Every structure is written in C-alpha cells, then in structure tokens.
Amino acid sequence: MVVDPKHASVNGRKRSQRPHTSPREVADELRARIRSGTLRAGQRMPTQARLADEFGVERGVVRQALHLLQTEHLLTNVSKGSPATVAPDLGLNGAPTGPGAAPQPTMVALGPRIATAFAAPHVEIDALCLTSVSLNLAIGEGLRQIHAGRLNPAKIDVRVLLPGRDIDLAFPVSVEDRGDDDPVQERWLAQRNAQGQVLRHNLLALRATHGIDVHVSFRALPFTPPVKLYLLNGMEALFAYYTLTRRKEEIDHEHLELYDSEGTQSMLFAFEQGAGLRDTTFVEQSHLWFNALWETISSELALTS
C-alpha cells in the first residue's frame, strides 16, 4: 500500500477505512514516512488509536505493525501505553529493510525481514543455502512474536534447498585433499543435519502450540551453491555471495587449513516486488530459478548422517 505522506493523518487528515489492511501494509506505509522524513528521528508517533482510525483497522493490527518496525530498529518505546518514538539513530545499523537500503551482513538484515514476513496470514519462505544456520537464527524473532501473541499467521510454508551429502562438496573443505575422510566436510554434514532438524522442529511445534498449518520441506542439491537466496512471501528476494577464505582451525583436536565462507557475515542484497522494474524482475526470476531447481535436479533430503 502506497500513500502520499501529505495525505497522512499525521498531518491532520483522515482516510476512508481499509478493513483488510494488514500489519505489513501499515508497517510499509509508516516505514516510508520515516525514510522520507515525514516522521523525523526522535519524533513521537501518532497514538495507536489515531493510527487505527487512519488505516481503518483494529488497534491490534497497528500494534503488530509498530512491533515490526521496532524489530527493524526504526521505532523505540513500543507499548500499549504511550506512543512509540522514531529511533534517534537511523544510520546503517538502524535501517536494515526496504529497497534501496544499504546491504548488510546476513545476521543483521535477515531477522527483521523474516519477522516482517511472519505478519502475513500465509507465510511463504524459500531458502537456498549451505547449512541453514542463518535462517535458523533469523527465524527466531518471528517465532518469538508468535509466542508473545503479537503475530498469528494461519499458515506457514518453508522450503529449503541444501547441498546433498554424496556430492564432491566444493567448500567447506580441507586445503589438503583428505578424500572421503575430510573432517571439515564431516563437520559440515553434521551441522547441516542438526540445523535442519532444529528448524523443522521449531516450526512444526507451532501446530500444537498455536494451531498454525505448518509445512517444512527440504531437498538436496547436486552441487555446492556459490550464493545464498531467501524468498519471502513472493514479495522479496534476499541475495548474498559466499565469499571463500583460507584459514586455520582446530577440528577434532587437529589443526587444519581449510577453505570456507562465513555465511552469517555474507552481505545481503534486497530486491522487492514493485520497487521498480529491476527489483521486480529479479524477484520474479529468482522464484523461477528456485522452483526450477526444486522441481528438476534436486532430490529428497533426509537430515540424517
């Protein structure tokens, strides 16, 4: 939803009611006002009652939207009592979302975006990655908001593409060829399986605790992905390169030289549907690419040793 800030009720005008406006739409509009300067750093937000009247929604929808913006570090002091405040520092570490935002490390940028995605009634997350460590960590904020009662999606579908265990993995790998007994690759396999199992368990638990219709699927790729990709609700594509380094590390009491990439630090680039032809095309092509891999050369993945 796009609204000209000059028509916002923060300037004294009201709009007709929009009964089906979602928390994400409210958050998107308020985020746009913050970035445009209509709502300035340090300024108090309109009351939740005033925002609810403006957007034609219940206060709970506004409260969810404000909490989403708080997870993005754009608002502070979000509570049921006094109005929230626009964060005083909206520099690089304070604006992790939205098209045109500066790329940031995966661990900084991914969590707030997934929390925003969890505000949708039907959450759809597709991921292509090496181990799902970043995804597992980032999804925690969305889960916490569900358990806190701030978010209540009806359905969650998660699909994850990971490298298969029987391929000649390009990385992580020992610099010295260790054949089939490479402890670096054995550690990767254990991590891939453990992270996938935890991700699946935490999401499927929402069926019992909140009655949410949850589906989690994994498939194995016949190659090592040189990039990571996250697709959120068909609206956003987040893309990062795995940049390799050579380093020494102790594994199973043995000092080894290895080639590896710190995926949590990979710089994440965001592309959003509707943010221009370039972004829209990238999101659409990313979905086509992911679905093609899922439906053709990938295979069933069992998260076991």
Side-chain angles (χ1 to χ4, degrees):
M1 181 184 67
V2 179
V3 178
D4 189 334
K6 70 183 180 181
H7 296 306
S9 70
V10 71
N11 288 333
R13 301 185 183 183
K14 295 183 180 180
R15 289 174 288 187
S16 59
Q17 290 197 341
R18 296 278 306 278
H20 300 298
T21 301
S22 70
R24 180 181 179 123
E25 289 177 307
V26 175
D28 288 346
E29 168 60 20
L30 295 177
R31 187 188 302 110
R33 296 180 196 177
I34 292 171
R35 290 196 176 125
S36 70
T38 303
L39 292 170
R40 300 179 304 278
Q43 179 181 344
R44 295 186 76 179
M45 295 284 291
T47 64
Q48 293 181 17
R50 186 175 176 186
L51 289 171
D53 181 60
E54 172 188 351
F55 287 98
V57 297
E58 299 293 332
R59 289 194 193 185
V61 174
V62 170
R63 195 172 301 121
Q64 290 179 41
L66 297 179
H67 278 292
L68 291 175
L69 295 177
Q70 182 172 248
T71 68
E72 298 173 18
H73 310 291
L74 294 176
L75 294 180
T76 61
N77 302 325
V78 175
S79 67
K80 291 185 178 180
S82 60
T85 303
V86 180
D89 181 9
L90 297 179
L92 180 63
N93 293 325
T97 64
Q104 292 186 304
T106 300
M107 277 308 301
V108 176
L110 187 58
R113 285 181 162 91
I114 288 185
T116 300
F118 266 66
H122 183 188
V123 182
E124 296 178 276
I125 298 175
D126 292 335
L128 180 147
C129 44
L130 193 64
T131 62
S132 74
V133 169
S134 297
L135 178 61
N136 221 343
L137 293 171
I139 216 163
E141 180 59 31
L143 296 178
R144 282 190 291 273
Q145 297 226 25
I146 289 174
H147 291 305
R150 300 190 187 107
L151 298 176
N152 187 31
K155 186 175 182 180
I156 299 175
D157 286 314
V158 176
R159 300 188 299 174
V160 184
L161 285 169
L162 297 167
R165 60 164 300 182
D166 297 325
I167 66 173
D168 185 12
L169 197 69
F171 66 90
V173 65
S174 297
V175 173
E176 179 183 348
D177 186 6
R178 305 292 291 261
D180 294 333
D181 298 319
D182 189 344
V184 176
Q185 297 206 353
E186 288 299 317
R187 185 184 64 172
W188 162 81
L189 179 61
Q191 187 177 58
R192 184 206 70 173
N193 292 342
Q195 291 293 327
Q197 290 168 1
V198 170
L199 179 67
R200 181 167 56 193
H201 171 78
N202 288 340
L203 287 167
L204 292 180
L206 296 174
R207 290 180 178 174
T209 59
H210 293 79
I212 300 173
D213 183 13
V214 180
H215 299 272
V216 185
S217 305
F218 296 87
R219 288 186 69 81
L221 292 167
F223 61 88
T224 309
V227 299
K228 58 167 59 178
L229 176 69
Y230 305 98
L231 304 171
L232 308 181
N233 292 347
M235 294 300 298
E236 193 168 19
L238 308 173
F239 173 91
Y241 294 101
Y242 283 116
T243 302
L244 297 185
T245 60
R246 178 170 175 163
R247 69 172 190 268
K248 292 183 178 180
E249 191 170 330
E250 182 178 349
I251 300 177
D252 295 335
H253 309 292
E254 183 179 2
H255 292 278
L256 299 172
E257 278 196 295
L258 61 145
Y259 295 117
D260 198 4
S261 172
E262 183 55 63
T264 59
Q265 298 304 312
S266 298
M267 298 299 287
L268 207 60
F269 295 81
F271 301 84
E272 189 171 323
Q273 186 88 23
L277 180 60
R278 170 182 168 275
D279 278 47
T280 296
T281 303
F282 188 90
V283 173
E284 292 173 350
Q285 290 299 310
S286 295
H287 275 282
L288 289 173
W289 184 62
F290 185 95
N291 287 333
L293 291 174
W294 187 269
E295 295 165 3
T296 58
I297 61 175
S298 65
S299 57
E300 184 177 350
L301 173 61
L303 295 169
T304 58
S305 58

